[in-house]
């Protein structure tokens, strides 16, 4: 039930303001004694040439109060108090009927959103930053779909560039085939690092690397076969992480995909007089916009990351006709994306304004043992596995009898990590701390999943099922607060999408868990004489489970019925 719409409909006949505009300024007051919704009259003051307080007073007399307990003016605000019983019933019943779709909407109907996320580099470790990108991107992917858009998930693999020439050269010199099969990324990384060390002593290696990349660009059979092998081996490793997280992509078109699509971009830049020479390189000058130039061709004529991103953006527009084109990439690449979007704008593409860099901060480790010393890389799969085994220890301590412990430990352990990454505003740095992350009673994934499991266990223990449900007996503040919180899912999703900020939904689901625990700690659900009241509390509990499940799904977590 959309109360803001109901209120806007009631206000509309008396004011000169569109329904949507009214809706957009309705607020949720900070205190319960100020009502459940408030309409501020400041904006109307100008058009109506009256003091906001007077407008609020006038509206409170005229307005139709049906469906509300009361409507009062307080200073410049018109405050709406919900009729608690009918509100509770509305909320709980609509959660029940809409089920997994509760909280969804169709604001994005018929529009595509391309989301570039995860995008790790071939032959390099999938690092923690890529995991954050994966978590944010996957969450946005699900939320956009939930809001009626059609999400297109793109894994823009780093699978092209001069480093592949170096890798081929390194492979031919130093590879250990057995290791390559066993731990491909570790081995590829080892020979790549070795290449750099050796090249310091013997600079001619660099030429060899360049030569192999040239071969690769020209489609040389051997070079191509090696490059393919590196890609396949790496993808197999990355897939392990995606499987653990339940993440899927619609496209794996990485940088190499644009190899044959860059000439035309370079031509176009020339035609549009945007390309200038600078120290032998061809660049788009961005002096006017206080940015360093966007390099398109290096002095040896090779294309780079930015060239491929230009080709990719154009390709995405023509293939998916996106309404929004999103890049979930660390904030250390902010300048790159500013240059990219500016260049697209200079090329005359109006849709440059639909492109958005969704940036995020760094992951820091509170636990010293995990810090990345030089040369030591953290393998993400290992980190996830560690989280799962630590969760297993906690389960063994708390609930050793639990069935399918492995499955639970995986969902909770992996979930805890994702939850940590999505809890705070994305641009803030994340401090990674096992203890905090896995705690069952902080603001954590396990806490929310545990709340869900507790609620589920109440429902399992409820056996006398056919009594009348009497919502009007739910009169406590805790019950009303819980229902109000439950009703806020859609609003959080819309806000989260607006800011491209999954943390809005993460914080929301923490609020739901807190509101439920507050309710449950002050009222018994099963131990109640009055059957009508008991049934109503059961329904409220069931609705809570549904909302937690939906919200967790939107941030990429699964629920468990027992833990
Ligand atoms: N592969 C890059 C990296 O690991 C991220 C790519 C992001 N996407 C893009 N279209 N530039 O830093």
């Amino acid at each position: 039930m959309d109360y803001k719409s109901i209120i806007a409909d009631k206000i509309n006949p008396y004011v000169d303001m569109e329904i949507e505009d009214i809706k957009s300024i309705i607020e949720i007051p900070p205190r319960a004694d100020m009502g459940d919704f408030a309409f501020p009259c400041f904006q109307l003051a100008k058009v109506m040439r009256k003091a906001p307080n007077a407008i609020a007073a006038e509206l409170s007399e005229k307005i139709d109060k049906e469906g509300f307990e009361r409507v009062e003016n307080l200073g410049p605000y018109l405050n709406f108090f919900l009729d608690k019983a009918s509100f509770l019933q509305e909320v709980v019943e609509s959660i029940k009927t809409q089920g997994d779709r509760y909280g969804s909407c169709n604001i994005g109907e018929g529009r595509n959103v391309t989301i570039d996320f995860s995008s790790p580099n071939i032959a390099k470790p999938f690092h923690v930053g890529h995991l954050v990108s994966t978590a944010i991107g996957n969450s946005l992917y699900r939320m956009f779909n939930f809001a009626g858009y059609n999400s297109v998930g793109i894994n823009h693999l780093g699978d092209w560039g001069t480093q592949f020439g170096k890798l081929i050269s390194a492979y031919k010199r130093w590879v250990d085939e057995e290791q390559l099969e066993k731990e491909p990324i570790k081995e590829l990384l080892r020979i790549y690092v070795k290449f750099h060390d050796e090249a310091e002593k013997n600079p001619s290696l660099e030429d060899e690397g360049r030569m192999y990349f040239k071969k690769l660009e020209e489609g040389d059979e051997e070079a191509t076969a090696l490059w393919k092998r590196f890609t396949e081996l790496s993808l197999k490793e990355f897939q392990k992480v995606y499987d653990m997280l339940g993440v899927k992509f619609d496209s794996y078109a990485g940088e190499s995909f644009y190899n044959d699509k860059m000439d035309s971009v370079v031509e176009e830049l020339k035609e549009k007089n945007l390309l200038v020479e600078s120290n032998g390189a061809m660049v788009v000058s961005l002096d006017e916009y206080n940015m360093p130039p966007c390099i398109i061709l290096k002095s040896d004529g090779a294309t780079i990351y930015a060239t491929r991103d230009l080709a990719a953006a154009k390709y995405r527009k023509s293939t998916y006709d996106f309404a929004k084109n999103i890049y979930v990439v660390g904030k250390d690449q902010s300048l790159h994306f500013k240059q990219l979007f500016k260049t697209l704008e200079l090329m005359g593409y109006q849709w440059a304004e639909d492109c958005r860099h969704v940036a995020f901060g760094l992951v820091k480790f509170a636990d010293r043992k995990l810090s990345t010393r030089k040369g030591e890389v953290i393998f993400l799969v290992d980190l996830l596995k560690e989280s799962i085994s630590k969760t297993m220890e906690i389960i063994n301590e708390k609930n050793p009898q639990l069935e399918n412990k492995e499955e639970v430990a995986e969902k909770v352990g992996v979930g805890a990590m994702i939850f940590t990454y999505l809890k705070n505003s994305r641009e803030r740095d994340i401090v990674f701390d096992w203890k905090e992350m896995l705690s069952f009673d902080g603001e954590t994934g396990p806490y929310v999943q545990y709340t869900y499991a507790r609620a589920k266990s109440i429902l399992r223990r409820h056996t006398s099922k056919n009594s009348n449900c009497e919502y009007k007996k739910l009169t406590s503040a805790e019950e009303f607060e819980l229902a109000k919180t439950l009703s806020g899912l859609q609003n959080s999703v819309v806000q989260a999408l607006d800011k491209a900020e999954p943390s809005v939904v993460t914080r929301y689901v923490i609020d739901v868990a807190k509101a439920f625990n507050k309710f449950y700690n002050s009222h018994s659900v099963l131990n109640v004489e009055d059957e009508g009241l008991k049934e109503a509390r059961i329904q409220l509990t069931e609705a809570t489970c549904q909302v937690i499940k939906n919200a967790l799904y939107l941030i990429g977590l699964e629920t468990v019925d027992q833990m």
Side-chain angles (χ1 to χ4, degrees):
M1 177 68 352
D2 179 6
Y3 279 91
K4 288 192 179 174
S5 298
I6 296 178
I7 292 171
D9 279 341
K10 287 184 191 287
I11 295 175
N12 181 257
Y14 306 105
V15 301
D16 185 13
M17 208 172 174
E18 298 292 324
I19 296 214
E20 279 309 311
D21 296 332
I22 301 177
K23 257 178 88 172
S24 72
I25 61 169
I26 293 174
E27 299 169 9
I28 313 265
R31 290 201 325 260
D33 65 331
M34 297 162 88
D36 302 297
F37 293 96
F39 175 71
C41 298
F42 307 104
Q43 267 192 37
L44 283 174
K46 275 182 238 128
V47 236
M48 295 172 76
R49 291 160 191 262
K50 256 188 220 166
N53 292 30
I55 300 171
E58 196 183 310
L59 282 174
S60 79
E61 299 216 334
K62 287 188 188 155
I63 203 164
D64 160 29
K65 302 179 181 66
E66 155 106 54
F68 289 90
E69 189 188 277
R70 60 206 151 92
V71 181
E72 291 171 355
N73 57 306
L74 182 71
Y77 289 93
L78 190 61
N79 293 339
F80 292 79
F81 296 79
L82 296 171
D83 176 45
K84 296 191 170 54
S86 53
F87 171 75
L88 263 150
Q89 174 161 3
E90 267 293 340
V91 173
V92 172
E93 284 179 354
S94 67
I95 293 170
K96 203 178 172 129
T97 23
Q98 292 175 54
D100 289 346
R101 301 290 303 159
Y102 181 76
S104 67
C105 60
N106 53 12
I107 53 174
E109 207 171 70
R111 294 196 289 159
N112 293 344
V113 183
T114 40
I115 310 170
D116 177 326
F117 69 105
S118 195
S119 307
N121 301 318
I122 297 300
K124 297 248 181 79
F126 192 115
H127 61 65
V128 184
H130 293 127
L131 181 64
V132 179
S133 168
T134 310
I136 296 175
N138 183 48
S139 173
L140 293 177
Y141 183 92
R142 290 181 179 190
M143 286 190 207
F144 273 113
N145 277 339
F146 207 58
Y149 290 87
N150 173 42
S151 302
V152 181
I154 302 173
N155 197 338
H156 187 79
L157 295 169
D159 60 358
W160 205 248
T162 41
Q163 70 270 29
F164 287 91
K166 298 179 188 177
L167 202 60
I168 292 173
S169 157
Y171 173 90
K172 296 185 98 143
R173 288 167 178 271
W174 306 296
V175 83
D176 175 342
E177 276 294 340
E178 214 175 291
Q179 272 306 107
L180 186 63
E181 281 303 319
K182 243 182 25 213
E183 296 194 276
I185 299 199
K186 276 193 185 145
E187 179 60 8
L188 290 172
L189 192 66
R190 183 188 70 83
I191 59 173
Y192 188 66
V193 170
K194 190 169 168 72
F195 181 93
H196 281 272
D197 291 345
E198 296 288 326
E200 261 172 44
K201 290 175 250 161
N202 173 11
S204 72
L205 272 180
E206 295 283 353
D207 296 330
E208 187 176 299
R210 264 192 288 277
M211 183 267 292
Y212 278 121
F213 184 58
K214 204 158 177 47
K215 283 193 166 193
L216 189 58
E217 276 186 307
E218 286 160 358
D220 173 81
E221 209 172 300
E222 190 199 14
T224 306
L226 280 174
W227 168 81
K228 265 211 174 111
R229 175 131 182 259
F230 302 152
T231 304
E232 276 158 18
L233 286 168
S234 304
L235 277 178
K236 222 165 90 190
E237 291 295 297
F238 300 159
Q239 195 56 45
K240 288 183 195 161
V241 178
Y242 298 141
D243 287 345
M244 276 176 141
L245 303 179
V247 169
K248 291 198 175 62
F249 297 92
D250 300 292
S251 159
Y252 279 84
E255 294 186 41
S256 68
F257 180 78
Y258 301 99
N259 193 27
D260 62 359
K261 297 173 183 62
M262 283 181 290
D263 283 350
S264 63
V265 175
V266 175
E267 275 314 304
E268 186 182 338
L269 287 167
K270 272 188 202 146
E271 267 163 36
K272 293 182 173 165
N273 284 325
L274 290 169
L275 222 45
V276 293
E277 209 213 281
S278 163
N279 298 326
M282 296 305 273
V283 308
V284 175
S285 165
L286 300 173
D287 285 355
E288 251 182 82
Y289 312 98
N290 289 323
M291 283 185 249
C294 183
I295 301 173
I296 305 294
L297 296 174
K298 290 197 292 189
S299 49
D300 61 2
T303 58
I304 63 165
Y305 188 55
T307 329
R308 293 187 272 282
D309 257 331
L310 274 178
K314 285 192 63 185
Y315 177 83
R316 285 173 200 174
K317 185 62 191 177
S318 65
T319 309
Y320 305 109
D321 191 26
F322 55 70
K324 295 171 200 282
N325 178 32
I326 289 173
Y327 299 83
V328 187
V329 185
K331 68 178 174 198
D332 52 332
Q333 291 190 30
S334 291
L335 177 61
H336 164 74
F337 286 104
K338 278 199 192 114
Q339 293 173 309
L340 176 67
F341 302 159
K342 186 47 98 183
T343 304
L344 288 167
E345 186 191 314
L346 294 175
M347 289 169 89
Y349 295 117
Q350 177 94 53
W351 49 262
E353 64 191 37
D354 304 324
C355 298
R356 181 167 184 185
H357 175 208
V358 171
F360 55 85
L362 291 173
V363 179
K364 295 179 177 158
F365 293 88
D367 185 337
R368 275 281 198 71
K369 277 183 293 176
L370 283 170
S371 71
T372 11
R373 267 188 279 110
K374 210 173 168 242
E376 179 200 352
V377 281
I378 300 162
F379 282 85
L380 206 83
V381 186
D382 298 342
L383 214 57
L384 286 166
K385 282 187 184 150
E386 189 165 347
S387 188
I388 295 169
S389 73
K390 282 192 195 301
T391 306
M392 189 57 120
E393 282 168 30
I394 301 176
I395 294 174
N396 279 332
E397 202 180 289
K398 288 198 185 236
N399 189 2
Q401 251 59 278
L402 183 68
E403 286 170 39
N404 49 30
K405 274 195 249 179
E406 265 83 46
E407 197 192 318
V408 174
E410 173 152 355
K411 287 183 181 168
V412 176
V414 171
M417 220 153 160
I418 301 178
F419 200 92
T420 304
Y421 294 151
L422 300 183
K423 194 168 82 176
N424 295 314
S425 316
R426 56 185 158 74
E427 301 226 17
R428 270 176 53 182
D429 290 347
I430 299 163
V431 180
F432 188 97
D433 179 339
W434 284 118
K435 238 185 134 149
E436 196 183 303
M437 180 179 108
L438 295 174
S439 154
F440 277 39
D441 45 33
E443 295 185 337
T444 63
Y447 165 72
V448 176
Q449 282 165 319
Y450 186 58
T451 303
Y452 178 91
R454 265 173 79 181
K456 274 282 170 184
S457 99
I458 299 170
L459 298 174
R460 272 194 305 276
R461 282 182 282 133
H462 174 57
T463 41
S464 57
K465 289 215 164 119
N466 355 328
S467 32
N468 256 342
C469 177
E470 295 179 85
Y471 290 105
K472 62 178 184 303
K473 291 186 172 157
L474 298 177
T475 52
S476 76
E478 293 81 15
E479 288 156 331
F480 182 58
E481 274 309 308
L482 174 56
K484 249 172 87 175
T485 312
L486 295 180
S487 73
L489 176 60
Q490 187 185 82
N491 195 29
S492 313
V493 175
V494 172
Q495 251 191 64
L497 286 177
D498 199 42
K499 302 187 199 153
E501 185 67 90
S503 64
V504 176
V505 173
T506 314
R507 314 246 28 128
Y508 167 78
V509 77
I510 294 172
D511 287 344
V512 172
K514 282 186 180 163
F516 177 78
N517 286 320
K518 219 167 167 183
F519 152 71
Y520 184 61
N521 291 337
S522 32
H523 305 279
S524 174
V525 177
L526 295 174
N527 231 339
V528 186
E529 291 280 300
D530 187 323
E531 287 294 325
L533 172 61
K534 187 204 258 178
E535 190 55 33
R537 287 191 177 152
I538 285 288
Q539 293 301 328
L540 185 58
T541 303
E542 207 162 314
T544 305
C545 286
Q546 182 71 59
V547 170
I548 292 181
K549 181 170 170 235
N550 293 9
L552 285 183
Y553 168 79
L554 292 172
I555 53 170
L557 270 74
E558 287 184 68
T559 51
V560 290
D561 285 358
Q562 271 170 293
M563 70 185 260

